[in-house]
Every structure is written in C-alpha cells, then in structure tokens.
C-alpha cells in the first residue's frame, strides 16, 4: 500500500549554514535533471543573492529518517533499498529540487565560482551599494569586501525536508515541485516507478559514445538522449511491416507503464552496443567509402539514420559488413527524393523526419527490403 509522504515544517537557514548542512547530499538521476546551468544562469542567481531576492524552496529527503519510517512500515518498498544504497555511501540527504542552486552555492563559497567582470548592485541593511569586479583581485567570494561576505552568508534560504516517503511518493513530489518549471515528457518518464526508466538510464551509460556522436557533448540536457533511446526501442519492438505503429509520447508512456518481462533485453542491449561499435568503426574505416569523410560523419551522426539502422539490426542485419551496406543503400534512397512518394506527396526524407504512423508506413516499404536484399546476397 502507498505510504503517505510527510515532510517537516519549512526551515529557514542562513546561506552559509545551508551549504554546510547539505554538504553530504546526493541528487539521484531518477529525480533530478542533470546539472545544466551555464554562465548566464549562474550569474543571474549570483545577482539575486546580492539583491536578496532568492526564491524557491530546496526540497530534500532526510535519508536516515526515511529509512527508519520504512523499517516500521514497509521494507519491501523499492525506496528502502534506494535510500540504503545512499546511506551506505554516507549521504545524509537526497535532493529532489534545488540541485543546480545548491551546487552553485557550494562553488561560490569554496571560491570555485569566478565572478564575471562587471558592476554589481547589492543590498545591505536596506541600502543599495555597488561593487566593481575587475579581475583576480576580487572575482571570488573570499576576496569580496568582508561586509559583503557577511551579507551573503546571512541571506536566508528555505528548506523542506521529507521524513517519510516511498518510491512512488518520490516520483510524485519530484514532478509536483517542478510543475512551475516545465518538465518535458522524458523527464517525467525518468521519474516513474518503472523498470523501463532504470533500464534506459543503464543503456545511456552503455552507449554514451554513440549518444555524443548523435547529440554532442551535452547529450544529457533535458534527457533528450534518453528519449531518443526510448524512440529506438519503441520503433524496434512495436513496428513491423505487418503491424505498423507510430511512436509518440503516448506510446512511450505506455511502454514505461508496461512490464518489461517478455522483452528480449539481452538482444536489444547487444544490438545497441554493436550499433555504437559499428557507427564509430564506419567513421574511422577508410575502406567504408562515402562522398568524403565530412559527409560520412554527417550521415552517421544523423539521428534518424541511426534509428533506422537499429531497426534493421533487430530485424536481420547481423554483421558489420551488412551494416555498412545497409547505410549505403539507405542513404541512396534518402538522397533520391523521387524514389518513393506517398499519397500525400511526401517523400522518404519526410518519412525519416518523424516517427508517426504515416512516417513509419513509408519506412516499412524501405527498411525490410534493404534487410531482405542483404540477407539474400549473403545466401547467394
């Protein structure tokens, strides 16, 4: 049965105490966006501290108290072992909201954050003052005027700590506290109490180099890479020439809510790992001829091409040589706009631009043919 989430009254702490109190905190990827603040976000938050305009609660779970409650109520709930793993690593709190802010405050107080050059206004005892940051003489916290350091240390922050909560509650609280800051569909799926969520996060780690090739070094931003993995899975599992399905937010949500038993995880994982290996081998393989290396990299880092190759690898493409031939055959059709036109006048490039039912209908006229031809060639 569900355990009702309980938190204590909001706590108001000075900024320096807040940083020390939550020093041993962890933001699990199940319930946090990856750290994503850039220079502008850090500067903006620093300015809000200077002007004493800091807003938003920090929402955390007291790990030891939450474990104690679950030991009395239900040690079989998934949250019990979830908390225990962090407790064994000497973490005291789990962060559900405020991870970027807390990391910034920690960096500020430790002088890791270097204040950008410029003129800043700040408030002390109701008076507005000005400081010019011009370089190494005053661009970190410890080199600011002592009165300004004291003002920053004394800024008040609000913390809410949960003392009783189960895994479903963690998901609900995470989504709830972020309702004012739009969570995309994949961020919501990532927080679900779902075996799929766990597996997709693991797949992300297994094929990180492939994801960097497709999305760049910031591949985890807003979990766009996780959504792409789910699209690959949804397309490979549910779309066949005899059962053409579209891939949408709705179908991906249903996938996450379904049981993972019955899915050949071992085979799918193996093909993801091979896909990663094959793409990088093709890029560096001088014998894999294409219209110049720059064009080859462009084709092999195109998300739709990689998704389509993954589908073919789950439906009969078994070797590196076949994968190379499949990419060449696929690109030849992709670059021939008149090779296939549907009743609405859309061509194959359009089909590769989406994963809707009509897009996939056209793909199912192409991808199985490529697989069949290559397998027939092997037999011959």
């Amino acid at each position: 049965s569900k355990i009702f989430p309980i938190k204590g009254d909001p706590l108001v702490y000075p900024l320096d105490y807040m940083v020390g109190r939550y020093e041993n905190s962890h933001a699990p990827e199940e319930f946090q966006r990856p750290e994503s603040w850039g220079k502008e976000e850090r500067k903006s938050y620093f300015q809000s501290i200077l002007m004493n305009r800091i807003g938003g609660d920090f929402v955390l779970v007291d790990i030891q108290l939450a474990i104690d409650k679950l030991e009395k109520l239900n040690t079989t709930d998934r949250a019990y072992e979830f908390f225990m793993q962090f407790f064994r690593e000497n973490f005291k709190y789990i962060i559900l909201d405020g991870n970027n802010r807390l990391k910034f405050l920690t960096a500020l107080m430790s002088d890791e954050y270097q204040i950008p050059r410029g003129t800043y206004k700040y408030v002390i005892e109701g008076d507005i003052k000005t400081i010019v940051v011009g370089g190494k003489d005053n661009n970190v916290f410890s080199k600011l005027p002592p009165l300004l350091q004291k003002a920053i240390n004394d800024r008040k922050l609000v913390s809410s700590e949960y003392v009783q909560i189960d895994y479903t509650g963690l998901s609900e609280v995470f989504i709830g506290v972020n309702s004012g800051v739009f969570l995309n569909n994949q961020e919501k799926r990532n927080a679900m109490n779902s075996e799929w969520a766990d597996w997709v996060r693991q797949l992300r780690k297994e094929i990180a180099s492939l994801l960097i090739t497709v999305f760049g070094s910031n591949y985890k931003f807003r979990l766009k890479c996780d959504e792409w993995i789910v699209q690959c899975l949804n397309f490979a599992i549910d779309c066949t020439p005899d059962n053409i399905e579209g891939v949408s937010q709705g179908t991906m949500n249903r996938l996450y809510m379904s049981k993972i038993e019955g899915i050949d995880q071992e085979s799918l994982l193996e093909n993801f790992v091979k896909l990663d290996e094959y793409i990088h081998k093709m890029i560096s393989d001088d014998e894999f001829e294409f219209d110049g290396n720059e064009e080859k990299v462009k084709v092999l880092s195109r998300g739709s091409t990689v998704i389509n190759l993954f589908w073919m690898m789950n439906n009969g493409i078994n070797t590196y040589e076949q994968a190379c031939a499949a990419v060449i055959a696929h690109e030849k059709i992709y670059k021939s706009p008149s090779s296939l036109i549907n009743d609405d006048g859309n061509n194959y490039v359009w089909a590769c631009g989406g994963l809707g039912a009509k897009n996939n209908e056209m793909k199912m006229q192409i991808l199985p043919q490529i697989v069949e031809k290559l397998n027939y060639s092997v037999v011959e």
Side-chain angles (χ1 to χ4, degrees):
S1 59
K2 188 176 185 300
I3 296 171
F4 190 77
I6 297 175
K7 67 176 180 178
D9 292 333
L11 304 167
V12 180
Y13 295 130
L15 187 151
D16 58 346
Y17 178 81
M18 174 80 84
V19 172
R21 180 177 178 84
Y22 298 127
E23 180 181 6
N24 293 329
S25 299
H26 179 65
E29 59 182 354
E30 290 88 339
F31 306 110
Q32 272 293 332
R33 294 182 173 108
E35 188 180 1
S36 58
W37 275 12
K39 293 180 180 179
E40 290 304 315
E41 289 85 359
R42 294 186 182 96
K43 182 178 179 180
S44 178
Y45 192 62
F46 177 65
Q47 289 174 316
S48 72
I49 294 169
L50 294 178
M51 295 302 293
N52 200 19
R53 295 171 181 166
I54 311 170
D57 286 14
F58 291 76
V59 181
L60 305 100
V61 177
D62 186 312
I63 294 175
Q64 194 164 2
L65 290 178
I67 289 172
D68 181 65
K69 290 287 188 180
L70 285 171
E71 285 177 343
K72 295 173 183 177
L73 297 171
N74 183 7
T75 57
T76 65
D77 188 88
R78 185 180 175 190
Y80 181 72
E81 184 52 38
F82 184 72
F83 293 142
M84 285 298 298
Q85 75 177 87
F86 299 124
F87 180 73
R88 288 191 286 265
E89 295 174 24
N90 296 316
F91 290 112
K92 294 182 178 179
Y93 297 93
I94 285 175
I95 306 170
L96 294 180
D97 191 42
N99 183 44
N100 280 298
R101 285 173 284 156
L102 189 58
K103 284 189 177 297
F104 172 80
L105 294 175
T106 302
L108 173 66
M109 302 300 285
S110 65
D111 285 353
E112 180 186 340
Y113 177 68
Q114 295 186 3
I115 304 164
R117 291 173 179 268
T119 301
Y120 298 87
K121 293 181 179 180
Y122 61 95
V123 174
I124 295 182
E125 296 296 323
D127 294 330
I128 298 179
K129 300 180 179 291
T130 300
I131 182 173
V132 177
V133 176
K136 294 182 179 180
D137 290 338
N138 65 346
N139 72 337
V140 293
F141 176 79
S142 65
K143 294 181 180 180
L144 295 174
L147 196 61
L148 178 53
Q149 289 185 43
K150 181 181 185 322
I152 291 173
N153 279 328
D154 290 345
R155 296 295 194 233
K156 299 297 186 292
L157 301 168
V158 180
S159 169
S160 293
E161 297 179 5
Y162 279 86
V163 297
Q164 174 177 299
I165 195 165
D166 62 2
Y167 200 92
T168 300
L170 288 169
S171 177
E172 291 175 349
V173 169
F174 169 70
I175 292 173
V177 297
N178 284 281
S179 59
V181 181
F182 176 68
L183 282 172
N184 66 34
N185 287 286
Q186 187 56 41
E187 287 167 335
K188 291 179 183 178
R189 283 190 288 270
N190 181 60
M192 290 172 106
N193 186 358
S194 165
E195 295 170 296
W196 286 96
D198 298 336
W199 192 44
V200 168
R201 284 190 295 271
Q202 183 59 38
L203 288 172
R204 181 211 303 157
K205 296 171 185 175
E206 296 280 354
I207 59 168
S209 59
L210 174 64
L211 297 172
I212 291 171
T213 298
V214 175
F215 293 102
S217 59
N218 200 20
Y219 65 99
K220 289 191 279 188
F221 180 71
R222 301 302 304 272
L223 298 184
K224 57 188 175 183
C225 61
D226 290 39
E227 181 163 88
W228 182 81
I229 291 171
V230 183
Q231 288 173 334
C232 286
L233 290 168
N234 203 169
F235 184 43
I237 293 168
D238 294 324
C239 192
T240 69
D242 298 325
N243 182 40
I244 298 174
E245 297 281 351
V247 175
S248 66
Q249 297 300 334
T251 63
M252 290 188 285
N253 288 341
R254 286 195 292 275
L255 193 69
Y256 267 59
M257 290 185 284
S258 68
K259 295 290 185 182
I260 207 167
E261 291 87 356
I263 299 299
D264 191 348
Q265 291 176 262
E266 185 177 347
S267 176
L268 288 163
L269 171 59
E270 182 182 353
N271 282 331
F272 264 126
V273 173
K274 281 185 179 179
L275 180 67
D276 190 351
E277 175 192 337
Y278 289 175
I279 291 294
H280 287 99
K281 188 174 180 180
M282 288 180 205
I283 289 174
S284 60
D285 189 351
D286 292 336
E287 294 184 10
F288 179 51
E289 297 182 3
F290 227 80
D291 299 333
N293 193 59
E294 185 176 332
E295 179 66 16
K296 180 167 71 171
V297 172
K298 179 181 176 182
V299 170
L300 293 171
S301 61
R302 186 191 300 137
S304 62
T305 299
V306 183
I307 284 180
N308 289 344
L309 178 57
F310 183 70
W311 187 94
M312 288 188 283
M313 288 174 64
N314 282 278
N315 287 275
I317 296 297
N318 298 310
T319 67
Y320 172 68
E321 290 72 22
Q322 284 184 317
C324 291
V327 169
I328 291 173
H330 184 272
E331 190 64 12
K332 183 177 180 180
I333 297 169
Y334 186 89
K335 286 186 173 178
S336 303
S338 61
S339 61
L340 182 63
I341 305 292
N342 68 8
D343 293 339
D344 296 323
N346 299 311
N347 61 22
Y348 190 63
V349 172
W350 168 86
C352 291
L355 286 161
K358 284 190 172 294
N359 302 76
N360 292 347
E361 182 180 358
M362 189 177 288
K363 291 175 201 171
M364 288 302 102
Q365 298 178 55
I366 299 295
L367 303 183
Q369 286 185 7
I370 295 175
V371 173
E372 183 180 0
K373 183 178 180 179
L374 290 173
N375 280 317
Y376 181 76
S377 298
V378 169
V379 173
E380 287 290 320

